């Protein structure tokens, strides 16, 4: 990509932006940002205020205001703003993983400009997310009782509309869209768990390490969870490279990934991270059981549903570990801050439900396109 592909003067940037639809403006700004991330000596480049930076900054400010500031009835514009912000944030966060690609891609991983963009988005986004929950009520709860009650409820939840849709109704087109979206996480296992394990060893640390080792197949590639996900994609003739379907991922799903990056990077948020992971490990078996049922109904082979089988089997055990050997001991140790574990749990549950609904909507869109004899969007979604 050319670093300076916006071929109009800075003064004309505002005029050009005003004539674009919000979605087009955000798409162009994201493309510019992706190019900026590869510019040599980015921080020096930004200081010169080139055309590309001016255009991106204007789009960023517009998106922040639209998503988290002024109220508007233009739902499409709001959704476009959320998507742009979460894509930009994901592009920055993914630099924390090593992708076995060109080393020059990491030249700007410590860029102060990228850090400032990340912080600006996270500050307003997290304030917006926090407003969705009643923190004061959580502070008044009995933490042990609250965690036990939550886990008991979510290990065998009432099926959601989305879960029932995949279990009973989804066609192959809808199921393919599910795999395409989930592959962003499933092929790289972006749980960020490994980034929380540094520090002093203790019983909690040992349990978290055991969980990580199982998630990564005990160091054997053929047992790694991403290998099982690749098998599902292969059977359906879908792309198996990481991020092959990035453009299909709804902002709600990107938000759950970016949220995990934030919590795992900030040690002050460790209890919130533990609460979020507790919800994930507790709730996944029931959610994945619906996906496995869809694969069976659609005639997928045993190998092609192995990822669901593996997670259902292992995460039932992992959920118990997280509750009894991690969350409750930490709640006893950090009695004044233990409510933050419930905050992390409830926030993860809320964001996961929102993400699940977005996946269902996207799957239904794929089915409507297939019914209209249109080419599946997945084929051109890199």
């Amino acid at each position: 990509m050319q670093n300076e592909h916006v071929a109009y003067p800075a003064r004309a940037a505002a005029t050009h932006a005003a004539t674009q639809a919000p979605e087009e403006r955000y798409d162009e700004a994201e493309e510019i940002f992706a190019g900026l991330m590869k510019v040599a000596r980015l921080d020096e480049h930004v200081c010169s205020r080139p055309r590309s930076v001016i255009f991106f900054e204007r789009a960023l400010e517009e998106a922040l205001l639209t998503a988290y500031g002024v109220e508007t009835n233009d739902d499409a514009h709001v959704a476009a703003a959320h998507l742009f912000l979460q894509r930009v944030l994901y592009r920055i966060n993914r630099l924390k993983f090593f992708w076995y690609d060109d080393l020059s891609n990491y030249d700007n991983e410590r860029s102060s400009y990228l850090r400032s963009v990340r912080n600006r988005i996270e500050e307003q986004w997290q304030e917006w997310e926090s407003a969705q929950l009643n923190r004061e009520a959580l502070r008044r709860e009995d933490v042990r009782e609250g965690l036990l009650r939550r886990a008991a409820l979510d290990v065998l939840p009432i099926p959601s509309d989305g879960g029932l849709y995949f279990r009973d109704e989804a066609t192959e087109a809808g199921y393919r869209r599910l795999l395409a979206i989930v592959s962003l996480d499933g092929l790289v296992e972006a749980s960020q768990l490994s980034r929380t394990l540094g520090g002093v060893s203790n019983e909690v640390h040992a349990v978290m390490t055991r969980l990580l080792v199982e998630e990564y197949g005990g160091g054997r590639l053929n047992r790694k969870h991403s290998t099982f996900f690749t098998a599902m994609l292969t059977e359906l003739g879908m792309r198996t490279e990481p991020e092959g379907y990035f453009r299909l991922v709804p902002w709600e799903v990107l938000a759950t990934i970016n949220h995990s990056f934030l919590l795992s990077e900030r040690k002050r948020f460790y209890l919130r991270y533990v609460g979020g992971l507790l919800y994930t490990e507790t709730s996944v078996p029931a959610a994945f059981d619906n996906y496995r049922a869809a694969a069976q109904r659609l005639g997928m082979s045993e190998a092609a549903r192995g990822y669901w089988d593996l997670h259902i089997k292992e995460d039932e055990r992992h959920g118990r570990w997280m509750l009894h050997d991690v969350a409750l001991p930490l709640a006893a140790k950090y009695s004044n801050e233990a409510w933050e574990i419930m905050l992390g749990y409830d926030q993860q549950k809320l964001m996961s439900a929102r993400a699940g609904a977005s996946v269902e909507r996207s799957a239904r869109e794929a089915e409507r396109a297939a019914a209209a004899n249109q080419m599946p969007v997945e084929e051109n979604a890199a």
Side-chain angles (χ1 to χ4, degrees), residues 162 166 177 181 248-256 351-365:
F166 281 109
R177 179 61 62 85
I181 293 172
L248 284 177
V249 181
W251 74 262
E252 296 91 340
V253 174
L254 288 171
T256 64
M351 296 176 72
S352 295
R354 190 174 66 197
S358 73
V359 174
E360 179 194 356
R361 287 195 300 271
S362 185
R364 290 184 182 276
E365 290 172 4

Side-chain angles (χ1 to χ4, degrees), residues 131-371:
Q132 317 298 317
L133 295 170
N134 187 337
R135 290 181 174 233
E136 291 307 313
L138 289 172
R139 288 177 184 271
R140 294 191 295 269
E141 274 196 61
D142 180 279
V143 176
R144 179 180 178 82
E145 179 183 323
L147 290 174
L148 290 171
R149 174 171 48 81
R150 284 167 170 79
L153 178 65
D154 291 322
V155 74
L156 289 173
I158 298 173
S160 66
D161 291 342
L164 293 175
Y165 157 72
F166 281 109
R167 188 189 72 184
D168 301 328
E169 302 177 33
T171 65
E172 182 175 322
Y175 183 74
R176 287 171 62 93
R177 179 61 62 85
L178 166 71
L179 294 190
I181 293 172
V182 177
S183 70
L184 182 67
D185 198 38
L187 289 180
V188 297
E189 296 156 329
S191 66
Q192 292 82 38
L193 175 58
S194 63
R195 306 185 66 81
T196 69
L197 297 181
V200 177
S201 297
N202 51 49
E203 291 182 354
V204 168
H205 179 276
V207 173
M208 298 282 274
T209 302
R210 284 169 57 198
L211 198 157
L212 176 69
V213 169
E214 289 202 2
E215 291 278 349
Y216 281 76
R220 293 172 294 172
L221 182 60
N222 66 324
R223 298 300 302 170
K224 200 168 184 284
H225 288 191
S226 59
T227 300
F228 287 86
F229 202 101
T230 299
M232 294 198 300
L233 295 172
T234 299
E235 174 150 322
L236 287 172
M238 297 176 65
R239 297 174 178 174
T240 59
E241 67 273 20
E243 301 181 330
Y245 297 106
F246 175 65
R247 285 289 171 182
L248 284 177
V249 181
W251 74 262
E252 296 91 340
V253 174
L254 288 171
T256 64
I257 297 174
N258 287 326
H259 185 70
S260 188
F261 271 116
L262 170 64
L263 297 189
S264 62
E265 289 294 312
R266 297 282 302 278
K267 301 309 176 231
R268 179 57 185 84
F269 296 157
Y270 184 72
L271 296 183
R272 288 174 61 191
Y273 175 81
V274 164
L277 185 57
L278 171 60
Y279 171 75
T280 299
E281 299 295 335
T282 299
S283 63
V284 154
F288 281 12
D289 191 49
N290 292 318
Y291 301 154
R292 178 173 64 180
Q296 291 172 326
R297 179 172 51 78
L298 293 170
M300 305 299 165
S301 70
E302 184 175 349
R305 58 177 188 269
Y307 181 85
W308 311 129
D309 292 333
L310 182 65
H311 265 284
I312 291 169
K313 180 181 70 174
E314 291 191 354
D315 287 357
E316 288 176 350
R317 181 173 65 257
H318 294 171
R320 293 192 295 271
W321 290 358
M322 285 298 304
L323 177 62
H324 295 289
D325 300 326
V326 176
L328 292 178
L330 286 173
K333 179 176 178 60
Y334 296 98
S335 57
N336 291 334
E337 298 89 2
W339 70 275
E340 294 178 17
I341 302 176
M342 295 191 299
L343 172 62
Y345 188 104
D346 288 359
Q347 196 163 42
Q348 185 66 42
K349 182 173 181 177
L350 177 66
M351 296 176 72
S352 295
R354 190 174 66 197
S358 73
V359 174
E360 179 194 356
R361 287 195 300 271
S362 185
R364 290 184 182 276
E365 290 172 4
E367 290 183 333
R368 288 193 291 270

